[in-house]
């Protein structure tokens, strides 16, 4: 059976599936396209997803020794919702914070808070006491649920900020999460009205400035993002029809490996699993061999992680002799996957669709993507704009659209976009106008609607008037067989203004020096793009909270070492 083209498949799904019918909504005076027949808030999403989860009987959440059915998961959410209302008098729009590493309680709290119209504040689990102070004051959060490690960082703030700290482990605090849940017997759904345009969450961007920005995300934005991904899943078999259309499909099983205070985990990982009828396997922290074992024992079909995690499981699977035959999708998000890695993954997991996705905290993680043969053929591309709700323009420095194929700042309009940067009106008005959000990413679109991201706008090295994209340099570096990961950045230069610097991690047992690398790159990138300063290490490059390489911290360390040499 011959598959449809991408455009024809989208048209067929939008025409034939009532779930994806669209309408126009007005939010803060701006008109947006939105899905007409979907749940309007996260509580309704939980309720309507029960049918997809074997009417609540399916095993839904797996975490270490814990296994919860969908009904049991929802019952725990509802019990905590009643605790929040009766014990702590949490009202709609009240902000309640969570500070912990990945564990089921974090998902239960996220949904319990949003199910009563309150707002879940996600605190970065890596933050110091002072960074936690900033976010708590920024959001005016007084009630915080926390694990042991974060509790110790929060205690110095308890009296100063008037905090109520609730430990998720039984002996941490009095009361504790465990004792509160044990004392609550009600498991009926809350009945409080929820405004679809109210904030379900405040999530902090990974940050390139001194203070992170609190991104206010609404129920409407999150749910419309979820159903946008469902459109992509529905069109996939129309483009690539299965060999046997009558064969029973395995139940989707998603492995969540990235932190739950980041949209990659909460949105295309957790929230999408609800209406998709998927089981969720949750990891406390990243470990490649543990991930491989879980993929095999739990029958994981979908892996979503940052590119280095894809590379990690490829190596771990090979070393342990496990082919991971249940995998049908290996998705990269949070950062661009090195093009050379795409074909390697396709060869390592021939039964799986290798995919990439681009989205931001500010867009509820929705955006663009590419998968399968299209991605293997264009490994440097980011993908197509996910239909049908989004619009995208590419703008020059003056805010005018650029010509087709020319590089401009990616600017997207969607009902999924954030409501605001919390308490930052200037930053909000700079980034958003009339529903359009300036992403800060530079890219271009071709005749086929394929978007290629050149770089972050702020990650341009200007060498003697020549603009150099850090990602362009990194793509070339990743082609060297000794390099496992790489990061490029600007180094000040008295004559040229800036030159290229790079730090790389070598593969086990392999070495690299500057002269060898320069010779290797001679025919791969222009000479002016070749790193003039190189730092080589055998350990992983430093990472931020979302497991992206921390370019700023790495550059600072390398610059300090350069200063010592001079």
């Amino acid at each position: 059976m011959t598959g449809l083209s991408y455009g024809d498949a989208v048209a067929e799904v939008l025409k034939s599936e009532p779930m994806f019918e669209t309408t126009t909504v007005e939010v803060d005076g701006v008109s947006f396209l939105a899905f007409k027949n979907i749940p309007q808030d996260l509580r309704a999403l939980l309720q309507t997803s029960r049918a997809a989860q074997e009417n609540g009987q399916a095993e839904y959440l797996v975490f270490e020794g814990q296994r919860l059915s969908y009904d049991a998961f929802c019952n725990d959410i509802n019990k905590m919702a009643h605790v929040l209302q009766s014990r702590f008098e949490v009202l709609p729009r009240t902000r309640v914070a969570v500070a912990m590493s990945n564990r089921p309680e974090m998902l239960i709290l996220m949904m319990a808070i949003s199910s009563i119209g309150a707002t879940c504040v996600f605190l970065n689990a890596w933050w110091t006491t002072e960074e936690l102070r900033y976010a708590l004051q920024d959001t005016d959060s007084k009630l915080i649920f926390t694990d042991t490690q974060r509790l110790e960082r929060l205690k110095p703030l308890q009296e100063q900020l008037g905090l109520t700290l609730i430990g998720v482990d039984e002996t941490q605090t009095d009361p504790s999460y465990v004792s509160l849940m044990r004392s609550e017997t009600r498991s009926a759904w809350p009945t409080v009205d929820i405004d679809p345009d109210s904030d379900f969450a405040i999530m902090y961007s990974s940050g390139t400035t001194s203070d992170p920005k609190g991104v206010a995300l609404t129920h409407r934005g999150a749910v419309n993002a979820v159903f946008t991904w469902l459109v992509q899943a529905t069109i996939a078999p129309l483009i690539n029809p299965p060999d046997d259309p009558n064969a029973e499909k395995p139940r989707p099983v998603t492995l969540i490996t990235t932190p739950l205070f980041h949209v990659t985990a909460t949105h295309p990982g957790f929230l999408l699993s609800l209406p998709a009828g998927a089981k969720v396997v949750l990891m406390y922290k990243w470990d490649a061999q543990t991930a491989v074992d879980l993929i095999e024992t739990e029958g994981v079909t979908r892996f979503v992680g940052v590119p280095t995690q894809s590379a990690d499981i490829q190596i771990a699977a090979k070393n342990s002799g496990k082919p991971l035959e249940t995998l049908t999708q290996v998705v990269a998000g949070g950062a661009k996957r090195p093009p050379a890695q795409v074909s390697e993954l396709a060869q390592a997991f021939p039964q799986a669709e290798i995919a990439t996705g681009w989205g931001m905290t500010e867009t509820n993680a929705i955006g663009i993507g590419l998968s399968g043969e299209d991605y293997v053929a264009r490994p440097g591309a980011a993908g197509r704009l996910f239909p049908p709700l989004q619009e995208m323009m590419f703008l020059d420095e003056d805010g005018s659209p650029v010509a087709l194929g020319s590089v401009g700042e990616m600017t997207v309009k969607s009902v999924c976009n954030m409501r605001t940067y919390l308490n930052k009106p200037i930053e909000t008005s700079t980034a958003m106008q009339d529903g359009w959000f300036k992403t800060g990413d530079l890219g271009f679109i071709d005749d086929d609607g394929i978007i290629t991201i050149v770089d972050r706008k702020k990650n341009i090295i200007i060498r003697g008037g020549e603009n150099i994209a850090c990602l362009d340099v990194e793509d070339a570096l990743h082609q060297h067989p000794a390099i496992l990961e790489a990061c490029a950045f600007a180094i000040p230069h008295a004559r040229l203004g800036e030159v290229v610097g790079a730090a790389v991690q070598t593969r086990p047992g392999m070495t690299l020096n500057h002269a060898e690398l320069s010779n290797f790159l001679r025919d791969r990138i222009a000479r002016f793009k070749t790193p003039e300063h190189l730092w080589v290490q055998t350990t992983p490059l430093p990472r931020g909270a979302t497991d992206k390489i921390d370019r700023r911290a790495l550059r600072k360390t390398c610059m300090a070492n350069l200063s010592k040499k001079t």
Side-chain angles (χ1 to χ4, degrees):
M1 179 178 176
T2 304
L4 301 178
S5 68
Y6 185 85
D8 288 344
V10 171
E12 175 63 27
V13 166
L14 296 183
K15 178 181 69 174
S16 61
E17 294 285 347
M19 178 171 60
F20 300 132
E21 183 182 350
T22 61
T23 187
T24 300
V25 297
E26 188 168 294
V27 181
D28 292 334
V30 179
S31 294
F32 297 95
L33 270 184
F35 292 114
K36 181 179 180 180
N37 302 319
I38 66 171
Q40 296 301 299
D41 58 70
L42 294 189
R43 186 179 72 210
L45 179 65
L46 278 169
Q47 293 170 316
T48 57
S49 295
R50 187 172 184 268
Q53 297 285 346
E54 297 178 16
N55 291 320
Q57 301 307 300
E59 181 177 79
Y60 173 66
L61 182 60
V62 177
F63 176 75
E64 297 181 350
Q66 302 178 53
R67 292 181 179 271
L68 291 175
S69 69
Y70 189 77
D71 275 352
F73 177 65
C74 289
N75 286 344
D76 280 353
I77 290 170
N78 292 335
K79 287 172 68 175
M80 179 49 62
H82 289 295
V83 166
L84 293 170
Q85 288 178 314
S86 61
R87 184 67 179 261
F88 300 105
E89 299 181 345
V90 174
L91 300 172
R93 301 181 190 273
T94 301
R95 292 170 184 154
V96 180
V98 292
M100 61 189 74
S101 293
N102 285 7
R103 52 193 298 164
E105 292 87 347
M106 194 165 178
L107 294 176
I108 291 166
L109 284 161
M110 166 189 170
M111 299 307 285
I113 293 164
S114 58
S115 288
I116 56 176
T119 304
C120 183
V121 176
F122 290 85
L123 299 177
N124 189 311
W126 294 2
W127 276 345
T128 64
T129 295
E130 288 308 305
E131 289 169 320
L132 291 166
R133 180 201 299 274
Y134 170 82
L136 292 172
Q137 291 179 319
D138 191 39
T139 59
D140 194 29
S141 301
K142 301 298 182 184
L143 176 61
I144 300 97
F145 289 81
T146 179
D147 61 11
T148 302
Q149 192 172 353
R150 265 49 61 174
L151 179 63
E152 294 307 309
R153 299 178 201 167
L154 287 162
K155 280 182 177 178
L157 306 175
Q158 187 169 11
E159 185 174 344
Q160 299 172 22
L161 302 183
L163 307 179
T164 299
L165 303 177
I166 306 296
V168 290
D169 298 315
E170 188 165 10
T171 59
Q172 280 184 293
T173 56
D174 185 20
S176 67
Y177 175 95
V178 174
S179 64
L180 289 167
M181 289 288 280
R182 188 183 296 129
S183 66
E184 182 57 62
T185 59
R186 292 169 292 176
S187 59
W189 289 99
T191 57
V192 62
D193 291 337
I194 298 174
D195 180 356
D197 295 314
S198 65
D199 300 338
F200 93 89
I202 304 293
M203 304 185 87
Y204 280 85
S205 63
S206 51
T208 55
T209 57
S210 57
D211 292 331
K213 297 188 286 288
V215 180
L217 302 175
T218 68
H219 287 260
R220 191 192 302 274
V223 178
N224 275 274
V226 167
F227 280 82
T228 299
W229 283 306
L230 284 180
V231 170
Q232 315 319 307
T234 308
I235 67 174
L238 300 181
I239 297 172
N240 296 302
D243 294 334
D244 182 1
N246 298 317
E248 185 177 353
K249 297 179 182 178
R251 184 187 178 199
V253 181
T254 295
L255 180 65
I256 294 181
T257 64
T258 53
L260 284 171
F261 51 80
H262 184 252
V263 288
T264 300
T266 53
H267 288 54
F270 166 56
L271 291 177
L272 177 58
S273 75
L274 301 172
K279 179 172 81 171
V280 168
V281 180
L282 180 63
M283 288 185 68
Y284 177 71
K285 63 179 181 179
W286 176 246
D287 178 82
Q289 188 56 55
T290 301
V292 166
D293 293 342
L294 286 170
I295 291 169
E296 187 170 74
T297 58
E298 299 296 336
V300 170
T301 62
R302 185 168 183 261
F303 176 88
V304 182
V306 295
T308 51
Q309 291 177 324
S310 299
D312 287 349
I313 64 164
Q314 179 187 342
I315 294 169
K318 181 179 179 180
N319 290 341
S320 59
K322 296 179 178 179
L324 307 185
E325 294 175 344
T326 62
L327 279 179
T328 59
Q329 206 174 34
V330 180
V331 187
K336 182 183 178 183
R337 178 183 271 137
Q341 191 187 95
V342 180
S343 60
E344 290 179 4
L345 288 169
Q347 292 173 15
F349 307 116
Q351 80 289 352
E353 190 175 61
I354 311 304
T356 185
W358 170 94
M360 302 177 70
T361 306
E362 289 90 339
T363 67
N364 267 292
I366 202 67
I368 58 183
L370 198 63
S371 63
E373 293 179 2
D374 277 352
Y375 187 31
V376 173
R378 308 187 194 196
R384 296 182 176 89
L385 188 69
F386 288 149
L389 306 182
Q390 302 181 98
E391 301 175 68
M392 183 171 281
M393 298 188 296
F394 296 81
L395 304 180
D396 63 19
E397 287 290 341
D398 297 325
S400 300
V402 300
L404 183 72
S406 298
V407 173
E409 182 174 7
M410 295 164 55
T411 306
V412 62
K413 180 181 180 181
S414 165
V415 73
C416 304
N417 285 353
M418 69 173 186
R419 182 180 63 81
T420 190
Y421 285 127
L422 191 66
N423 302 322
K424 295 186 182 296
I426 295 176
E427 289 87 342
T428 301
S429 61
T430 299
M432 293 187 72
Q433 293 96 32
D434 299 322
W436 290 91
F437 173 71
K438 295 181 178 179
T439 67
D441 280 323
L442 299 175
F444 63 89
I445 187 168
D446 65 17
D447 292 332
D448 295 327
I450 301 291
I451 296 164
T452 298
I453 297 175
V454 177
D455 210 337
R456 287 293 292 170
K457 191 175 182 180
K458 61 181 70 68
N459 289 338
I460 291 292
I461 301 167
I462 305 177
R463 182 188 185 277
E466 292 284 353
N467 287 352
I468 303 170
C470 290
L471 285 181
D472 193 13
V473 177
E474 290 162 8
D475 286 348
L477 293 173
H478 278 112
Q479 295 176 38
H480 194 288
I483 293 177
L484 182 60
E485 61 179 4
C487 181
F489 40 82
I491 298 294
H493 190 276
R495 183 173 64 87
L496 298 171
E498 294 176 338
V499 294
V500 180
V504 302
Q505 179 195 359
T506 53
R507 296 180 185 274
M510 303 186 78
T511 59
L512 182 69
N513 60 48
H514 193 187
E516 178 188 348
L517 179 63
S518 297
N519 186 60
F520 176 83
L521 295 176
R522 183 172 298 156
D523 298 324
R524 289 172 169 82
I525 54 174
R527 186 174 178 181
F528 68 86
K529 297 181 181 180
T530 300
E532 296 191 26
H533 299 276
L534 178 69
W535 289 264
V536 179
Q537 60 189 65
T538 58
T539 55
L541 302 182
R543 286 177 152 65
T546 60
D547 212 40
K548 298 178 188 177
I549 293 174
D550 191 337
R551 193 185 305 271
R552 291 175 64 228
L554 182 60
R555 179 180 182 275
K556 183 178 180 181
T557 300
C558 292
M559 287 289 294
N561 292 335
L562 186 63
S563 298
K564 290 177 183 178
K565 291 180 181 179
T566 56

